[in-house]
Amino acid sequence: MDITILFKACVKTVRTTNKALGLKESKPSLPKSGPKDPNLATAKEVVKQITHLQTFLLENKAAYLNVLNYLSTNKTMTEVDREQIDTTAEKIVNACTSLIGDYKKEISKLPKSKQKEEHYQNVVDSLERYLKSVSKIYTEAKAIRVKRVLETHKVAKLETIGGKGNLELPPVSPPPVDIEDQLSVEEMQMFESENEMLYNELNSTSEEVKQMESKVVHIAELQELFTEKVLQQEQDIERIANNVVGATSNMRDANEQIRQAIQRNAGLRVWVLFFLLVMSFSLLFLDWYND
């Protein structure tokens, strides 16, 4: 049963009573937030860098992909600018990956509770997912750009081949006149062989462009997979580093125990030698005494 109306009436009655008695309403005090965690400063810096990269890529994506300048945008970009964007994006991605790895190593060395450890692990996972999503934007844009560049080269090559063919064709006669009647058998064979050669060249060019497009798409997929593997290997490297530190500590303890064992063995040898000397002198004394 809904008692919202009854609850509102009770609240209004209490407020009216307090106002009539001259009592002030006390506002509920919200709990103050605890002290800020200084260990999250690096994570915030990484988020800031990734956000800057995402904003930069989204702002320049249209101009970056406008290879043929067919979009009516105010921003124009040359190939040098696009190469500069590629270099900057790769540099930021590598720097963020390195920062995340250093942050994981720094967190692993801190004394923390289980809840804190789970919290830091969630922070690291969120950073890796965020970086992966932004890297995917860059790799997809780069793949589309390379594909459009290849299409541009293909169109330019086709236009060049077509221009050469037009230059070699004889002047066209008026429509009523049959061109085949004006050409000899040798000329017809020459044009047929030339047309066949152009057709084969166009087919081979088209096949090469298709192969290059498939290779570019495959390279983009491999680059994305490589980024994922790099992020996954950070955990393996961190685990190996922890194992190395543990092995070094165990070796130090083992060396200390070996040193103590050697000292104990040396003391035992001294006591045995002392016992043998005492017994030898005792035997010599007894032999002299008996004589």
Side-chain angles (χ1 to χ4, degrees):
M1 183 178 64
D2 189 8
I3 58 173
T4 305
I5 300 176
L6 179 61
F7 175 74
K8 289 182 178 180
C10 293
V11 172
K12 188 175 182 182
T13 303
V14 171
R15 287 182 177 178
T16 305
T17 305
N18 292 337
K19 188 175 181 181
L21 296 175
L23 298 176
K24 294 183 179 180
E25 295 182 1
S26 60
K27 296 183 179 180
S29 58
L30 297 176
K32 296 182 179 180
S33 59
K36 294 183 178 180
D37 191 351
N39 298 319
L40 297 178
T42 305
K44 291 180 180 179
E45 182 65 24
V46 174
V47 171
K48 185 178 179 182
Q49 293 290 336
I50 299 175
T51 304
H52 286 335
L53 176 60
Q54 183 181 19
T55 305
F56 177 73
L57 291 175
L58 294 177
E59 288 179 353
N60 296 277
K61 185 176 181 180
Y64 181 82
L65 297 178
N66 189 15
V67 179
L68 302 176
N69 294 325
Y70 59 88
L71 296 177
S72 58
T73 57
N74 296 327
K75 293 184 179 180
T76 57
M77 191 175 294
T78 61
E79 288 298 324
V80 178
D81 297 333
R82 294 185 179 92
E83 293 294 336
Q84 185 65 30
I85 288 178
D86 292 340
T87 304
T88 304
E90 292 174 359
K91 189 180 297 183
I92 294 176
V93 170
N94 294 332
C96 292
T97 304
S98 178
L99 286 175
I100 292 174
D102 296 339
Y103 180 66
K104 290 171 67 176
K105 294 178 181 178
E106 179 183 352
I107 292 302
S108 63
K109 298 177 181 178
L110 294 176
K112 52 189 176 297
S113 61
K114 185 176 180 181
Q115 184 177 5
K116 279 281 188 180
E117 183 178 0
E118 184 178 357
H119 170 66
Y120 289 139
Q121 186 62 38
N122 292 331
V123 171
V124 172
D125 294 340
S126 300
L127 291 176
E128 291 178 348
R129 286 196 300 269
Y130 190 22
L131 179 61
K132 180 181 175 182
S133 63
V134 176
S135 301
K136 188 175 181 181
I137 295 174
Y138 164 67
T139 53
E140 290 178 352
K142 187 175 181 179
I144 295 172
R145 173 208 164 197
V146 174
K147 184 177 180 181
R148 290 182 179 177
V149 170
L150 292 176
E151 291 177 352
T152 305
H153 292 335
K154 176 182 176 182
V155 173
K157 191 170 184 179
L158 292 176
E159 290 178 354
T160 304
I161 295 173
K164 291 181 180 179
N166 291 333
L167 291 174
E168 294 177 359
L169 289 176
V172 181
S173 302
V177 182
D178 191 1
I179 299 177
E180 295 181 358
D181 296 337
Q182 297 181 359
L183 297 177
S184 62
V185 179
E186 293 79 4
E187 290 177 347
M188 290 291 295
Q189 292 178 354
M190 181 183 66
F191 284 122
E192 287 178 359
S193 61
E194 184 178 359
N195 289 334
E196 185 177 359
M197 181 182 64
L198 290 174
Y199 179 74
N200 294 331
E201 186 175 357
L202 290 175
N203 287 334
S204 62
T205 304
S206 177
E207 291 296 330
E208 291 177 359
V209 171
K210 289 180 180 179
Q211 292 178 2
M212 293 179 69
E213 289 178 356
S214 62
K215 289 179 180 179
V216 167
V217 174
H218 185 58
I219 289 172
E221 294 176 354
L222 290 177
Q223 186 174 3
E224 182 179 356
L225 181 62
F226 177 75
T227 304
E228 295 178 1
K229 294 299 181 182
V230 168
L231 294 176
Q232 291 176 1
Q233 288 177 358
E234 289 291 334
Q235 299 178 356
D236 297 336
I237 293 172
E238 181 182 358
R239 187 176 64 254
I240 292 172
N242 293 331
N243 292 335
V244 168
V245 173
T248 304
S249 178
N250 293 334
M251 288 294 294
R252 189 182 300 111
D253 296 340
N255 291 331
E256 182 66 23
Q257 292 178 3
I258 291 172
R259 186 178 62 82
Q260 294 177 2
I262 292 173
Q263 290 178 355
R264 286 194 295 268
N265 290 333
L268 179 62
R269 286 197 297 270
V270 169
W271 283 107
V272 170
L273 182 60
F274 177 74
F275 175 76
L276 292 175
L277 289 174
V278 170
M279 294 301 296
S280 299
F281 283 115
S282 300
L283 290 174
L284 289 174
F285 175 76
L286 292 174
D287 184 64
W288 172 78
Y289 182 75
N290 290 330
D291 291 341

